[in-house]
């Protein structure tokens, strides 16, 4: 509790500042963008339909199994339930107002630099044009694909992001609190960050030229920051870290990891929103970085502990997938190897040494892998996007500037997300409470929250 | 009657059962247990969290025999289950006052033969 | 037994009537349809290849896991075996004569109304032109995709339908009886209903204008009706309902549910047989309805029992997927929400209260979810296809008529399927017997039917 | 050991001969091929992106689960770890030099017959042009798809092949030895065979006209031969065959089998490298042959042992998938049925009777299914490719010749792979040793090699 | 005090528990065990490898009762667990010297009532 | 020798083991069991089918000790395992006639020390 209050104070100023600029921005003048007339491409559509299925597959059953295997057997269903219900809930929220808040580009205008006031509110969050998907006609297109597909594809990102955070507070948070947290977090954190990064000209990150091809900031740093705050706020699991808490079923975790890997092709190569060279190269570099991170983590364990473990290997893989995410549209194979290796080693350090040193209980390493891996990836994107390093986006001379921009992207996301997550969690704690009773925690969440048992 | 309880290494189960069958033991009951003793456990490591597993998988056999079979049964178990390595396990002997075969209701020595 | 005989008598007349009109119809005159010259579209083909893989994925491993987790551990392999062998068996039957019975349009002619006699036999079942897939040349097209792909896509529907029925008679039916039942049911129920719904002009349901985009009648009501009859005929499991029969491994069930959800994109969006706006909107509404049903069931449980369960959430999801199936080509996002919510609540009622009240042992709720959910979906398709309700097919004024047509579709399917299923099961019972011995049931089907054990 | 030494002696001559011709071939003159100007097709690209994901899905988690369920619970993680790490390792090797060794066509020229010397080294193995994927530009195409996609697609084949071999030496080989073996085997066996079969004009098998659409020789016979040698060299598991070694979790195996089946659509239909009629027909025949093999194995068991098992059914399915692989581009539905039935029966015989008779311990039947099934498929490809038997490639009159060619393909692969695998394993055995200590084998590989446990 | 150990068929557990409850037994402890006895095991077959499963799933009940309850309890178990088929199981009776209820520290008969 | 059998709540296992180690107990055997007693079970609900789980997860410890250790061991267990809530479990004491260490064949008190 002391820690969390401390956290609150520390960032209170920044939060206040943010709030002010958001309100201030409301008074700026919106403007309209013009579109060319695109036509539907069946190949692009085919790939995006598939990519959408793949990203959904990442959450159910991919991430669910990955996380589910890591907890105690008495809590396995609670994790599966949280992932499954979040999937359903985010789908409805996205349908009702999320897509609009994220992708309504009404009133956006390109603005140089950090000029908050000029940009207007809609540089930070979308309008309400698409409430209830009004206006998403069957024949509407986004680029060369039906807008319905784009809506669903983006929806799957809005699903997995809050689901990732589950890893931080697993095994002790009330189910009702999870749902309320996810709803508020989606509304006040995910939707605006998504808008700032991906909605196009006039959006903060977009205008600044921050590179985030497939969601390094929107998904991973965002989820990672919320995860860190959440595990601090919810507190440690009973007995942590004295009592060992080994994964109850690693075969489940490895299965989930395989599914995440496969599904991530939809995530990264799907972010090309086309079946083209960008998608192809995104798939290739995703594969390479993941492999490199897997081997890096394995090697780190082998060196440090004398034996490599499959939990290490799969965690490394996820770290690699996370790190290549922002980079996957702008780096080449060699950049991918470096990003993968870096992510493997650094996340290994974060999830083992750092976590133990600082003592927070990020139960399934949502911060250690997604937060840290996302940061590593975002920064190195700024390096390996350079054409002389095999990338496709920037000049060698601009590496320094781009790395700075990447850092800004990470920092703004981290701070904004951290502050708002803190407020949300605090509010929940003060009202219905975040945490189950000690007795319920001992008995397990499956029986006490859901009246069922994973295995008979 | 006597109850012989033997705690052995799991991979010895088959051999012990053979040995007992060959001296005419008609029935026994087996339970998977975890044993804590002199045998050192192994280390497991999950994302840097070390976890010394001190409870090792063992198998417990329970065999109820007539008093005169006791020595023979204990010897057979000790012989078949021994590897000479630490952790081979123990045999405990205690008294049983009565036995009943559920199917027939017979009791006493006849219930276990 | 009394119940089943009763059932037999009750519907004997209808069955007789059906038999007569089918024979009568044989004398009518066939006619030929003309086709335009289509060309192959690689995008459409790419999507349909994928969709086919997705629908197969629904059965193996999706449905297998979903069902497998719900039974007692001593019967888990029997369920997996039934799903797997049905997959193989239906593949061969479809290849040998199923595709021909379903999609040979020889002798079909558009007929108004229910005019059975005029329509001819081929309004009810296809001919034998494609026996052994003769005539399905490598270069043949169906629309813009290779006919080989269409054959395989439709095959996966023919696979999953009998596999769904397994849920009704699980844990007690002889393996040989399952195979014989599936073979006969496929031949005499699935193939004709599939033909009536999807083979085009001249087919009964098609001509009537019954809307069934992706198989509400063909797959779900069909399977549901057979499931109800089957569980009545096979009888209750030993000890039902006094002895509790909790799922032996809910993690397996939740995993399977995730796979079903993901695979269902192939089912519904694949039913557009193209990578276009219809596919896109089908995917979107599928996602929305499923989410709505998940939350509806969860809410129902929360309200009624005080706690939501993950088994409830995933069952709700399947109910939503079932209900949106017939509607997925003709409703918009808001219709999808209503359909989902309705399916969630009504199937909750059917699988819990209704089943208990009536006392039949539909072991895994094949009827409660697929029959009831299919019915709800079919009826509401008639409502939300209306353009003023966000749909894409009918006028507001025609809702009443369409709902009636939808009802006719459900009723004919239900009655025809119910009667023929009854006959098939009766025949099997009188010959080799439907049910394993009591001793075998106690020992479990895995060991007694297959000489193997799920877990060591 | 006697067996293995014997094996060594027996094939030493052949190995020597091979070595000589490879060296001799180095002096021949390279030549350049000309390419037409292709353009990117989004539909083909969409399908190949998907197919790549599907083939990766075959290994993680498909094959991993299939194999993992079959071993003792104390070794389950070791199998998952081997598959996962091989995935990562092969990805990097493929990126660094594998793609180049396999698909650099520098210096290749079409040569008739077996003329080794004229062909030059590059008829057997590729050059180093693509080291580190240099030259695989973002915009480079292979046919109508980005080369990046082709690289990744082929990579997934290079991943699964060594992973298949794991089945032979499971439960007793050192983890370090597995990695070294996989690396060397990939380099000296996989890459050259892949090159000889698929790199185009000038490559041995290609020039000879050996038909191998999707990897019967490259993947299955290759893996099968290595598996046989490996299980002989590593020796039997402690207690085999006296002690029963039943699968510890068949639900896992059946799940993996379903995933393999679904993923195999990517493998076979993906080998068309387009979303066209070839892909469509490949999918259809894959489905049919697999179903036929499933039922054949099931029937064989039913007849021979009185009861069919799900392990039999799924093993039959894999046998069918293996056998149809080389044939899937050239046979029609009826050929597929025959190939499936033959594979089902013959692999049943190989994995049960033959293995027992000869006494080798191919733990998970990698040879019995992939080696034998691959051989059956390769030979029958030579038969059913004939147009009068429903195939699409050869004349009836050429069946004899084609079967001979197919045999040559199998034999060369088998011998070359067998010899080189033997040398590699021998070297490893003489240096770090192939096998874990007896004590470690008793305790299990999970704890002794990886310091973790599958289930708590 | 007496300890009654009963090895029964798993599907009889519910019935036996009911029978015991109805005669006032307040507590018991259940263990999943494998039994080897006269009852023939079944065959399992994995890719041609036959495997005779001789250890069959059984359930072991342990009930500590005061001396005077012994006969009644044994009878109730035998009655409820019997199917008349081989493999129905056994009941064993032995002496318990002391019992302590952990919660309260009470010992003797009061600890189990 | 005496056999001490303790049925405790699973999450107390670690603490009890520590307590026993600290008073010099060298070995023990642990079994996962289900207990039925005064402690109320929980409800589980599957698609409307209510299922009261009366058998709760417990852990059984078996420790064979020399006669003079008995009191100390029982006390240590009771102290470490107690939470004061219903369901904390029981300790039972009975006589063991002989013990043999399989590895060495030693018997009597020396086999367990
Ligand atoms: N005093 C005891 N009471 C009950 N079980 C014991 C006792 N001592 C040992 N055991 C059991 O015997 C097993 C083997 O004992 P251990 O001390 O490791 O080796 P050894 O029997 O070779 O001396 C232990 O794992 C435990 O299950
Ligand atoms: N001598 C024995 N000691 C311990 N357990 C026994 C003994 N004999 C039988 N059992 C247990 O009782 C079970 C039933 O015994 P079995 O001989 O199969 O049938 P029955 O009790 O009907 O004669 C066995 O599976 C085993 O668990
Ligand atoms: N008579 C008995 N015989 C054997 N085990 C018993 C007996 N009574 C209780 N137990 C075991 O002790 C556990 C705790 O008993 P319970 O009556 O629930 O609480 P408490 O010990 O606090 O009175 C039970 O779950 C059961 O395993």
């Amino acid at each position: 509790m002391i820690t969390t209050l401390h956290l609150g104070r520390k960032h209170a100023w920044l939060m206040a500042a943010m709030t002010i600029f958001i309100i201030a921005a409301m008074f700026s003048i919106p403007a309209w963008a013009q579109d060319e007339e695109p036509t539907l491409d069946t190949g692009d559509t085919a790939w995006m339909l598939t990519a959408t299925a793949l990203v959904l597959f990442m959450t159910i059953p991919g991430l669910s199994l990955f996380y589910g295997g890591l907890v105690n057997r008495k809590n396995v269903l609670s994790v599966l339930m949280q992932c499954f219900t979040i999937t359903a809930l985010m789908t409805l929220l996205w349908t009702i107002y999320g897509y609009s808040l994220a992708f309504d580009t009404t009133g956006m205008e390109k603005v140089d630099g950090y000029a908050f006031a000029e940009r207007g509110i809609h540089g930070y969050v979308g309008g309400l044009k698409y409430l209830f998907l009004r206006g998403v006609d069957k024949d509407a297109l986004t680029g060369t694909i039906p807008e319905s597909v784009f809506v669903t594809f983006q929806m799957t990102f809005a699903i997995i992001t809050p689901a990732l955070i589950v890893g931080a507070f697993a095994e002790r948070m009330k189910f009702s609190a999870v749902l309320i947290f996810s709803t508020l977090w989606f509304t006040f954190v995910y939707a605006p960050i998504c808008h700032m990064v991906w909605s196009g000209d006039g959006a903060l990150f977009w205008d600044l030229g921050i590179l985030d091809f497939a969601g390094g900031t929107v998904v991973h740093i965002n989820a990672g920051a919320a995860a860190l705050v959440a595990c601090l706020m919810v507190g440690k699991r009973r007995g942590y870290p004295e009592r060992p808490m080994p994964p109850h079923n690693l075969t489940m975790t490895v299965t989930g990891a395989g599914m995440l890997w496969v599904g991530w092709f939809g995530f990264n190569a799907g972010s090309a929103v086309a079946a083209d060279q960008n998608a192809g190269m995104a798939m290739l570099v995703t594969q390479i970085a993941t492999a490199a991170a897997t081997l890096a983590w394995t090697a780190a364990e082998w060196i440090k502990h004398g034996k490599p473990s499959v939990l290490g290997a799969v965690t490394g893989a996820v770290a690699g997938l996370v790190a290549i995410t922002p980079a996957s549209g702008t780096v080449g194979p060699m950049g991918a190897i470096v990003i993968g290796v870096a992510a493997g080693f650094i996340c290994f350090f974060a999830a083992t040494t750092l976590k133990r040193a600082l003592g927070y209980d990020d139960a399934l390493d949502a911060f250690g892998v997604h937060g840290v891996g996302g940061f590593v990836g975002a920064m190195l994107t700024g390096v390996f996007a350079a054409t002389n390093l095999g990338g496709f986006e920037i000049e060698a001379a601009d590496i320094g500037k781009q790395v700075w921009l990447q850092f800004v992207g990470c920092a703004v996301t981290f701070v904004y997300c951290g502050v708002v997550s803190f407020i949300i969690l605090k509010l929940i704690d003060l009202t219905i409470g975040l945490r189950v009773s000690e007795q319920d925690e001992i008995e397990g969440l499956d029986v006490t929250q859901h009246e069922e048992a994973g295995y008979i | 009657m006597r109850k012989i309880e033997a705690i052995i290494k799991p991979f010895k189960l088959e051999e012990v059962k053979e040995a007992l069958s060959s001296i005419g033991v008609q029935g026994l009951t087996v339970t998977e247990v975890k044993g804590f003793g002199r045998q050192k456990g192994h280390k497991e490591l999950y994302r840097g969290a070390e976890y010394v597993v001190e409870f090792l998988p063992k198998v417990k056999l329970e065999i109820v025999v007539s008093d005169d079979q006791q020595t023979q049964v204990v010897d057979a178990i000790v012989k078949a289950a021994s590897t000479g390595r630490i952790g081979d396990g123990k045999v405990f002997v205690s008294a049983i006052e009565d036995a009943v075969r559920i199917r027939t209701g017979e009791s006493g020595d006849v219930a276990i033969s």
Side-chain angles (χ1 to χ4, degrees), chain A, chain B:
Chain A
M1 267 313 146
I2 291 167
T3 322
T4 60
L5 280 173
H6 182 61
L7 182 87
R9 295 233 178 81
K10 217 157 112 194
H11 300 305
W13 282 110
L14 200 125
M15 195 196 66
M18 289 252 168
T19 315
I20 290 168
F21 88 69
I22 287 178
I23 293 167
M26 286 180 174
F27 296 91
S28 53
I29 305 117
W32 290 81
Q34 287 195 328
D35 288 313
E36 324 100 64
E37 196 65 65
T39 56
L40 187 145
D41 181 291
T42 58
D44 292 344
T45 304
W47 169 236
M48 292 311 295
L49 287 164
T50 307
T52 305
L54 284 171
V55 184
L56 180 63
F57 185 58
M58 287 173 67
T59 306
I60 49 166
L63 182 71
S64 311
L65 290 173
F66 186 74
Y67 276 177
L70 292 174
V71 300
N72 194 302
R73 58 193 300 125
K74 69 189 172 189
N75 298 322
V76 60
L77 294 185
S78 76
V79 168
L80 302 186
M81 179 67 167
Q82 289 167 20
C83 291
F84 205 89
T85 328
I86 285 175
T87 301
L89 192 56
M90 295 308 120
T91 297
L92 280 205
L93 298 182
W94 187 255
T95 303
I96 297 173
Y97 60 80
Y99 179 66
S100 199
L101 289 189
F103 286 100
D104 177 356
T105 55
T106 307
M108 289 170 66
E109 202 174 0
K110 194 167 169 62
V111 173
D112 269 347
Y114 309 88
F116 296 132
E118 292 168 37
R119 191 176 300 278
I121 176 72
H122 292 312
Y124 307 98
V125 66
L128 301 177
K129 188 168 105 186
Y130 297 122
L131 270 201
F132 285 95
L133 297 185
R134 238 178 14 209
V136 178
D137 295 328
K138 203 188 206 175
D139 292 328
L141 296 182
T142 301
T144 59
I145 66 167
E147 188 171 4
S148 56
V149 176
F150 183 73
V151 168
T152 321
F153 180 67
Q154 281 294 338
M155 182 193 282
T156 58
F157 282 63
I159 286 169
I160 199 167
T161 312
L164 290 172
I165 308 172
V166 165
F169 52 65
E171 312 200 72
R172 56 209 191 277
M173 192 151 155
K174 268 187 195 168
F175 181 60
S176 51
V178 172
L179 296 189
I180 295 172
F181 170 72
S182 302
T183 301
L184 296 176
W185 190 86
F186 166 81
T187 310
F188 295 107
V189 182
Y190 185 82
I193 299 275
C194 176
H195 182 81
M196 288 189 238
V197 177
W198 284 331
S199 68
D201 280 352
L204 178 63
F205 289 37
W206 183 280
D207 282 1
L208 291 178
I210 293 167
L211 296 174
D212 183 3
F213 189 68
T217 41
V218 182
V219 176
H220 298 290
I221 295 181
N222 218 357
L228 183 60
V229 174
C231 72
L232 289 171
M233 299 282 292
V234 176
K236 298 176 194 178
R237 285 167 294 174
R238 233 192 114 268
Y240 182 88
E242 303 81 30
R243 208 151 44 82
M245 296 175 171
H248 90 284
N249 186 341
L250 276 181
T251 70
M252 201 182 254
T253 297
V254 178
T255 304
M259 292 173 172
L260 282 170
W261 190 332
V262 171
W264 222 291
F265 286 156
F267 203 94
N268 286 2
S271 289
V273 199
D276 61 4
Q277 290 96 335
N278 291 327
M281 190 50 86
M283 172 175 260
L284 176 56
V285 297
T286 298
Q287 177 71 12
I288 293 173
T290 309
T294 304
L295 296 179
W297 191 302
T298 305
E301 271 192 348
W302 214 329
I303 292 163
K304 183 150 177 224
H305 301 299
K307 286 178 189 173
S309 74
V310 74
L311 176 58
V314 300
T315 313
V318 176
L321 288 161
V322 167
I324 195 66
T325 295
S328 54
T330 49
V331 308
M334 290 310 108
I337 290 186
V338 179
I339 290 176
V341 170
F345 282 126
I346 297 173
C347 291
F348 171 74
F349 171 78
T352 59
T353 315
L354 184 71
K355 182 167 84 163
R356 267 151 214 278
L358 297 185
Y360 58 88
D361 181 15
D362 179 9
L364 316 180
D365 294 308
F367 170 69
V369 172
H370 296 275
V372 175
F375 180 74
V376 170
M379 299 306 291
L380 293 181
T381 299
V383 178
F384 291 99
T387 47
N388 64 325
L389 296 172
F392 311 111
E393 191 73 19
I394 61 171
E395 299 302 309
D398 294 335
I399 290 181
K401 184 183 138 224
Q402 189 64 42
V403 168
W404 167 247
L405 284 176
Q406 299 299 109
F407 179 77
V408 169
C410 295
V412 171
T413 306
F414 196 88
V415 170
Y416 175 72
C417 168
V419 171
V420 181
S421 302
F422 173 80
I423 298 170
I424 295 171
L425 289 161
K426 198 77 208 168
L427 287 177
I428 297 174
D429 203 17
L430 293 174
T431 49
I432 63 162
L434 286 173
R435 203 170 164 136
V436 300
S437 74
E438 192 184 334
Q439 200 51 38
D440 283 3
E441 195 179 341
I442 290 172
E443 260 199 80
L445 271 57
D446 292 359
V447 158
T448 59
Q449 300 288 298
H450 308 296
E451 280 182 350
E452 49 190 352
Y455 313 92
I456 300 287
Chain B
M1 280 170 285
R2 290 286 176 279
K3 183 207 257 187
I4 321 266
E5 277 177 286
I7 292 143
I8 62 170
K9 289 185 170 162
F11 77 97
K12 280 291 190 182
L13 174 60
E14 205 59 28
E15 276 170 68
V16 172
K17 194 213 70 188
E18 298 288 307
L20 291 172
S21 285
S22 74
I23 59 166
V25 168
Q26 297 281 352
L28 52 86
T29 300
V30 176
T31 315
E32 286 181 15
V33 299
K34 305 260 176 201
F36 170 78
R38 287 158 187 272
Q39 186 188 0
K40 283 281 141 300
H42 57 262
K43 193 177 74 171
E44 292 180 12
L45 198 70
Y46 300 100
R47 288 191 186 158
E50 197 171 306
Y51 167 27
V52 180
V53 179
E54 292 173 316
F55 292 102
L56 300 172
K58 301 279 170 191
V59 154
K60 181 168 85 170
L61 306 182
E62 290 172 280
I63 313 132
V64 175
V65 296
S66 61
D67 295 355
D68 52 339
Q69 288 178 288
Q70 171 180 343
T71 335
Q72 204 189 357
V73 166
V74 172
D75 289 355
I77 294 174
V78 171
K79 198 155 152 245
S82 171
T83 67
R85 287 168 185 270
I86 209 158
D88 276 353
K90 314 279 183 203
V91 182
F92 301 123
V93 181
S94 56
I96 285 289
E97 299 181 349
D98 199 6
V100 184
R101 167 172 283 130
I102 291 174
R103 171 164 46 97
T104 56
E106 296 158 300
S107 68
D109 271 4
V110 69
I112 54 164
S113 63

